[in-house]
Amino acid sequence: MENKNLEYVTFGGGCFWCVESCFNLLKGVESVISGYAGGHKENPTYEEVCTGETGHAEVVQIAYNPEVISYDQLMDVFFFLHDPTQLNRQGNDIGTQYRSVIFYKDEAEKKRAEDALKKSESSGKWTGKYVTEITPLPEFYPAEQYHQGYYNVNPTQPYCSAVVGPKIVKFKKHYGEMGMLNGE
């Protein structure tokens, strides 16, 4: 039976392979689509986004069931998965396409994003000034098909082995202990 009550959230926190692979493990997350948002070019390609000239960020758009997982829980995961104090980068991934950004669809969601950011800042998890942008979602463009579920198909690819895999292990340990993962 299809759930017609799904909600959507779109944000970027570095490489979308990392973010997508973790969010797909959460109870209540129905789908995660890697893509691009926040730029000025229609239907950008990965190669174009990588130049930094389109203004887009690598993002994920998450469809979730709010009866199972809340927006606030998704925001907690978002701030766990990346360092929101790094401007236009995450680790060795450097460029505006890797910026920390939360896109909102209306003023109510903007307020929820601002509250989530303040909560994370006050938690002390990350030291330094947060640089996460909170901005309206003008358009979301799904990334090319080969990016969807990339880690699941390419776990031994060098970037996946060195960056994505360890992030998933850390994520599973933390959120598995909280009982938020599928199969827990």
Side-chain angles (χ1 to χ4, degrees):
M1 186 166 146
E2 188 174 321
N3 183 339
K4 303 275 188 214
N5 296 317
L6 294 180
E7 293 186 18
Y8 297 83
V9 62
T10 304
F11 45 69
C15 172
F16 49 33
W17 297 342
C18 295
V19 179
E20 177 204 45
S21 61
C22 291
F23 275 97
N24 268 322
L25 300 173
L26 291 170
K27 290 178 186 174
V29 169
E30 298 294 320
S31 69
V32 183
I33 299 172
S34 292
Y36 316 109
H40 54 79
K41 183 176 189 323
E42 288 186 30
N43 297 308
T45 65
Y46 180 69
E47 290 74 20
E48 291 169 330
V49 171
C50 285
T51 68
E53 295 176 13
T54 68
H56 292 283
E58 286 191 14
V59 299
V60 293
Q61 187 166 76
I62 299 170
Y64 68 99
N65 181 343
E67 294 175 11
V68 179
I69 189 166
S70 70
Y71 179 89
D72 291 340
Q73 288 172 309
L74 292 171
M75 287 294 105
D76 286 343
V77 172
F78 169 72
F79 286 114
F80 177 85
L81 286 176
H82 81 292
D83 182 345
T85 68
Q86 290 189 338
L87 183 61
N88 297 329
R89 73 178 297 160
Q90 284 299 302
N92 290 327
D93 294 330
I94 300 171
T96 57
Q97 69 270 29
Y98 300 114
R99 68 188 178 271
S100 177
V101 58
I102 302 169
F103 291 99
Y104 61 87
K105 63 182 175 288
D106 57 31
E107 288 301 311
E109 192 170 85
K110 177 183 180 184
K111 172 81 168 91
R112 291 167 76 188
E114 290 169 343
D115 291 346
L117 187 138
K118 287 177 190 168
K119 178 183 172 192
S120 183
E121 282 179 319
S122 66
S123 75
K125 176 174 176 18
W126 301 103
T127 57
K129 181 177 175 11
Y130 276 43
V131 295
T132 303
E133 298 173 16
I134 298 176
T135 188
L137 177 63
E139 186 74 38
F140 170 78
Y141 299 100
E144 296 81 353
Q145 187 57 42
Y146 73 91
H147 288 295
Q148 309 306 327
Y150 190 85
Y151 177 79
N152 291 338
V153 176
N154 303 283
T156 59
Q157 188 262 11
Y159 182 89
C160 290
S161 295
V163 179
V164 185
K167 186 172 283 222
I168 291 171
V169 169
K170 179 181 170 186
F171 174 80
K172 282 182 173 180
K173 179 173 177 11
H174 183 78
Y175 287 96
E177 290 172 357
M178 296 174 69
M180 291 179 62
L181 301 181
N182 285 317
E184 293 295 313

